[in-house]
Amino acid sequence: MLNIVLFGPPGAGKGTQSTNLIEKYQLVHLSTGDILRSEVANKTSLGLEAKKLMDQGLLVPDDVVIRMIEARVDANRNAKGFIFDGFPRTTKQAEALDELLKKKHTSITMMLALEVDDAELITRLLNRGKDSGRPDDQNKEVISKRIMEYNSKTAPLKNYYTEQGKFHGVKGVGTIEEIFDRLTGVIEMY
Ligand code: ADP
């Protein structure tokens, strides 16, 4: 299996690049942000709880997202592989993902990290907020909070995957095609 963790701060372009990667490699896309937003749209009890945190730029509790991912990995037994987008976001989530994949006799192949500086991220997110309708993209304080959450809780995962020899940083600035070529360049090395 080809199991990729697509990593990077909010606004790095994970969603866009995931769409292209799943098409090229026939992978199943699991985006915790998308799954949570659909729970919010459907007004499920999970969605209503999650919304309060998401609107403040805070992370949803680990056990909630871990259960969401487990259910979807289980539901896709015949997948050629997965792209994990926006997950794991904490060390606890990364450990849970390793455990889960081990039970399925597979593992993470690599982490691909899109690298973009903070000023560029804020510009991109505010632009996205104009047409995406995502409430968390429309307010500068919420965006800053998400970047702070990323730096304190998620960025340390770089070490987690570096220690496993799986970390690959990729420059996330340029055209969509240029960035896609950089990502596929790393994947083709495997
Ligand atoms: P972005 O990468 O643009 O911040 P996402 O769509 O990945 O956005 O996530 C939106 C929000 O959903 C996050 O700010 C957070 O509140 C919640 N969320 C998404 N994935 C996770 C996760 N793995 N763990 C905890 N919270 C998450």
Side-chain angles (χ1 to χ4, degrees):
M1 281 176 97
L2 177 61
N3 295 315
I4 297 174
V5 173
L6 194 57
F7 186 72
K14 300 185 294 287
T16 309
Q17 296 298 337
S18 289
T19 309
N20 295 336
L21 290 169
I22 55 170
E23 197 182 322
K24 184 168 167 88
Y25 297 103
Q26 307 288 301
L27 304 172
V28 174
H29 182 206
L30 296 184
S31 158
T32 41
D34 286 351
I35 300 166
L36 287 168
R37 276 185 292 278
S38 93
E39 297 279 347
V40 172
N42 291 323
K43 298 198 167 59
T44 64
S45 58
L46 191 163
L48 294 174
E49 278 308 306
K51 184 173 166 37
K52 292 183 207 155
L53 296 162
M54 294 166 79
D55 285 352
Q56 296 175 70
L58 299 172
L59 293 184
V60 171
D62 285 331
D63 54 322
V64 172
V65 285
I66 290 166
R67 266 187 276 124
M68 281 176 3
I69 288 286
E70 260 174 359
R72 279 155 182 90
V73 168
D74 278 341
N76 286 282
R77 280 172 202 283
N78 298 321
K80 286 188 181 173
F82 294 94
I83 291 200
F84 297 96
D85 166 0
F87 181 93
R89 251 180 162 93
T90 62
T91 304
K92 188 163 169 225
Q93 292 179 20
E95 287 166 355
L97 181 60
D98 279 348
E99 279 293 307
L100 169 68
L101 294 178
K102 201 168 160 193
K103 275 192 254 160
K104 312 267 169 211
H105 308 289
T106 184
S107 58
I108 290 298
T109 314
M110 71 188 87
M111 166 179 267
L112 294 172
L114 289 170
E115 296 171 339
V116 180
D117 67 72
D118 285 3
E120 168 76 13
L121 294 174
I122 294 173
T123 311
R124 285 189 191 178
L125 289 168
L126 286 169
N127 270 325
R128 185 168 81 184
K130 286 181 199 149
D131 32 51
S132 75
R134 272 181 59 170
D136 60 344
D137 283 346
Q138 286 168 23
N139 176 311
K140 224 174 158 198
E141 271 91 68
V142 175
I143 290 177
S144 302
K145 187 75 204 168
R146 280 155 65 203
I147 295 176
M148 277 162 58
E149 285 276 85
Y150 176 82
N151 287 331
S152 66
K153 297 181 182 156
T154 309
L157 291 182
K158 176 176 178 176
N159 292 337
Y160 184 88
Y161 289 93
T162 300
E163 279 163 18
Q164 296 188 10
K166 294 176 178 173
F167 179 87
H168 300 275
V170 168
K171 193 172 129 211
V173 183
T175 66
I176 291 174
E177 292 75 22
E178 280 165 354
I179 299 165
F180 185 62
D181 286 346
R182 290 179 202 138
L183 293 171
T184 55
V186 177
I187 296 170
E188 304 296 328
M189 292 185 330
Y190 274 80

